[in-house]
Amino acid sequence: MQREVFDLAIIGGGITGAGVALDAASRGLNVALIEKRDFASGTSSRSTKLIHGGLRYLEQFEFGLVREALRERATLSRIAPHLSEPLAFLVPVYDARRPSPLGRNKLKLRLGLWLYDLLAGRQNIGRHRWLKPEEILKLAPALEAGGLKGALLYYDCLTDDARLVIEVIKAAAEAGAIVANYAAARGLVKSDGRVSGIEVEETRGGRRFTLSAHVVVNATGVWSDEVARLADRNGARKLRPSKGIHVVMPDEGFNCEAAVLIPSLGEQRFLFIVPWLGRTLIGTTDTDYGGPLDEPVADPDEINRVLESAARYFPRANLCTERVISTTAGLRPLVSEDDKSTSELSRKDELIESDSGLISMIGGKLTTYRRIAERVVDRVMERLGRARGKCMTGQIELAGGVLSDAQMKDESPRMAAEYALPVETVEHLMHKYAGNSRVILEITRESPDLRSPLIEGLPHIAAEVVYAARYEMAMTVEDFLARRTRIALLSRDHGSGCVARVGELIHEGHEEARRESPA
Ligand code: FAD
């Protein structure tokens, strides 16, 4: 990074920075990206994990945003189907005894979902329909049946947000971008009043260097005001962070095959109950946030409110704090507008260019990262005085190429026999890593020990740690447990039972990489 002058340097390794890096590198630019902690350690690993149009935004008449997001849902399902999997969603409607999440007006609801289907166009993944109580209880057997009149069923997609970021970062690196985690922007360098580089500090080593670039993009989400002030000390605050929490519960008690929308206690919004990686994810909230940005946490009263909201609709799920497996808290980088509450603020993205030429991209959603990146890179091309070229990211398959369901089904027994692994392990690898699962399977040949599970009750094996250290820049045990896999969220001990083993394997992976490239 110190040796050349890049066309573009990006600050921030969340989904926005990752998307910009991939788009720019695949249009032929010379790109560098720095992330102050780990990739996806900010908001992009703390979302509700939906690749969705956003039903709620229809109420705010944000039809353009919904249409764009629904199209992106289709694109992502094509380039990374394992990271955008269709899921049924239920909006239950009750009689007067119990509020319904989107109001009791069935006609308004149907109209909204009709519009949702219409905006999805020919790439829709399934049309909405009305379900009778007995049909609902097949999909969500523990949902309160008293007073249940029916439910509207519609479809959206589910992802693993952190893995999506990692795969986009890897695709950017394959396209030629140079990427670094644990490298923070501490200052901006200017030449003739224009931003021409970044003062970088390696946060795990303390070394400092200058990264030079013709254009610098600030893709730091809720930190973007902070970074913009490195360019202009008197810059106005543009952001209004809003906190959203999630609670991860055991699947027992829910056993849902569909996500369910329920009203949120004390907020004018609804909560999603989502079956995710063998657990149930409940969230989210939306509250103004003024605390430190680096480590937001779910407060006990927020957790209780989420559990109480869910317990009204799942009374037999035994929703007490003792059964909570883990929680997450994330900060939405919303663009400030006078007099509006955070839930009324638009989820649209906004590109801001400072007088000194720093391009900041704020707002937006995980779902629309590709389009956000396209808008940024179009502007970067203009600034560089180059022809825009065509955005190619809709054609770039992620994760070493798509594996279809049929391929997974056909190939997994054969692979299991070839690599002496249980079929479930092979299925898990194929599902998590798509085409790259072949690389992990090859790693298992290096030692029988690498075939063994890391932690009881979860399908992960030791070879995944080696893969994460060699190919995914996992630097710490937490990088592996919290973002390369989601063990920290899924396991009651947050992975502490395998910390020593993961640490050793990461260390070995790095030693090996150092031996192979001594420079
Ligand atoms: P971030 O992911 O926060 O990335 C910014 C990065 O910049 C961070 O990793 C940070 O460490 C780094 N950084 C900061 N300062 C520096 C510096 N000085 N030097 C180097 N690096 C720096 N969207 C959806 O589409 N679907 C959903 O279901 C959904 N659910 C959500 C639920 C919640 C509770 C929240 C909060 C958001 C949700 N979103 C959802 C929105 C989505 O998660 C965000 O819009 C998106 O993740 C923002 O990505 P980002 O890259 O802009 O920010």
Side-chain angles (χ1 to χ4, degrees), residues 11-12 14-16 35-36 43-44 47-48 50 185 332 364 366-367:
I11 311 172
I15 193 64
T16 307
E35 159 56 51
K36 74 170 176 175
T43 306
S44 299
S47 79
T48 311
L50 306 181
R332 293 177 190 84
L366 197 78
T367 306

Side-chain angles (χ1 to χ4, degrees), residues 450-507:
L450 295 177
R451 297 195 192 116
S452 60
L454 283 173
I455 202 155
E456 208 193 309
L458 287 175
H460 308 82
I461 57 170
E464 290 173 66
V465 188
V466 177
Y467 178 76
R470 274 189 208 162
Y471 300 98
E472 299 194 325
M473 294 173 78
M475 309 300 276
T476 70
V477 171
E478 195 210 331
D479 295 348
F480 178 79
L481 294 176
R483 289 170 291 275
R484 302 307 178 281
T485 64
R486 312 314 296 269
I487 291 172
L489 287 181
L490 304 175
S491 164
R492 194 164 280 287
D493 74 351
H494 312 303
S496 58
C498 62
V499 161
R501 193 156 177 226
V502 172
E504 271 166 34
L505 289 167
I506 287 185
H507 182 71

Side-chain angles (χ1 to χ4, degrees), residues 11-18 34-52 161 183-186 219-223 226-227 230 242-246 284-285 329-333 361-368:
I11 311 172
I15 193 64
T16 307
I34 54 163
E35 159 56 51
K36 74 170 176 175
R37 298 186 295 175
D38 185 25
F39 305 121
S41 56
T43 306
S44 299
S45 55
R46 299 151 188 262
S47 79
T48 311
K49 287 121 185 66
L50 306 181
I51 299 298
H52 65 157
D161 46 8
R186 296 289 186 223
T220 54
V222 276
W223 291 267
E226 215 174 76
V227 170
L230 298 176
S242 125
K243 179 161 103 170
I245 74 144
H246 293 91
T284 182
T285 55
L331 300 176
R332 293 177 190 84
M361 177 46 103
I362 50 175
K365 288 162 58 63
L366 197 78
T367 306
T368 49

Side-chain angles (χ1 to χ4, degrees), residues 109-244:
L109 248 175
R110 284 206 97 142
L111 197 67
L113 286 169
W114 174 80
L115 194 58
Y116 206 62
D117 284 337
L118 187 77
L119 291 171
R122 270 182 297 171
Q123 296 170 319
N124 203 1
I125 48 175
R127 291 177 71 81
H128 81 274
R129 63 195 167 91
W130 177 253
L131 293 188
K132 296 193 200 109
E134 56 274 22
E135 294 173 291
I136 302 166
L137 296 174
K138 278 188 196 142
L139 292 171
L143 183 67
E144 173 59 55
L148 182 63
K149 287 166 62 180
L152 279 157
L153 169 127
Y154 72 97
Y155 294 90
D156 258 323
C157 287
L158 198 56
T159 192
D160 178 338
D161 46 8
R163 284 233 48 98
L164 177 63
V165 176
I166 304 294
E167 295 300 358
V168 177
I169 288 272
K170 280 159 66 187
E174 267 165 46
I178 298 186
V179 298
N181 49 0
Y182 297 100
R186 296 289 186 223
L188 291 172
V189 182
K190 287 189 191 166
S191 321
D192 299 327
R194 307 286 288 170
V195 173
S196 61
I198 308 168
E199 282 166 15
V200 184
E201 182 189 342
E202 288 182 23
T203 53
R204 283 166 50 84
R207 229 168 23 135
R208 279 181 174 252
F209 64 91
T210 301
L211 167 58
S212 303
H214 297 300
V215 181
V216 176
V217 165
N218 168 14
T220 54
V222 276
W223 291 267
S224 55
D225 277 347
E226 215 174 76
V227 170
R229 274 201 293 272
L230 298 176
D232 175 6
R233 220 170 278 171
N234 304 317
R237 288 186 73 85
K238 307 260 177 356
L239 271 186
R240 176 139 165 231
S242 125
K243 179 161 103 170

